[in-house]
Amino acid sequence: LEKTLSNVMDFTRPTKYIKDFNSINEVVEDTLDLLKNMLLEKKIEVDVSLNSELPLIKSDFNQLKQVMLNLLQNAMDSITDEGKIIIKTEIEDDFIILSIADNGTGIEHNDPNVIFEPFYTTKVTGVGIGLAIVKKIIKDHNGDIEVKKGAVAGVKFIIKLPLPA
């Protein structure tokens, strides 16, 4: 109960970001390093394709790491067996694109964006605040996030963060 209340308070409280120039690729690598044992334990294959030409962007490293943690943990929770997660960074127009796709159970709801609503959850132990926090962090970084249902299974999250001016 305390953890749930803490998450709700974190979501509603204005956040002070510590913005420095950071590498999105480092955020990805750092998060994967943190989760490597869990990924190995669940036998989930991770295919990573990071564009080495990405510029640094003004961002809060820990907040973006929280985004990665939430998205990767959700992906791991949705994968039953022979799972795969694909992570890719690239530059498109004036944006850095970070995509995270999995072959998990996917989203049953007709409107996949419902998952960003606070307190929407399909998990027995979930509160439904994780993806709402993800969306808030990305918006606070002047970015955008969208979710698409996979063609066969799973979901794909696409995060767009503006390139530095």
Side-chain angles (χ1 to χ4, degrees), residues 74-144:
N74 281 352
M76 289 187 297
D77 289 346
S78 75
I79 292 171
T80 50
D81 48 85
E82 294 193 29
K84 185 171 187 174
I85 298 173
I86 301 167
I87 302 170
K88 187 176 183 180
T89 60
E90 55 195 325
I91 298 173
E92 185 180 290
D93 300 324
D94 293 331
F95 295 93
I96 289 177
I97 308 295
L98 167 62
S99 62
I100 301 154
D102 67 61
N103 66 345
T105 54
I107 303 168
E108 291 182 21
H109 202 279
N110 289 338
D111 177 12
N113 289 305
V114 73
I115 64 174
F116 294 115
E117 296 295 322
F119 310 112
Y120 177 84
T121 186
T122 58
K123 297 179 184 178
V124 175
T125 58
V127 181
I129 201 97
L131 290 175
I133 290 172
V134 163
K135 186 166 187 161
K136 180 181 184 308
I137 291 170
I138 296 301
K139 289 287 182 198
D140 289 346
H141 281 80
N142 299 316
D144 193 33

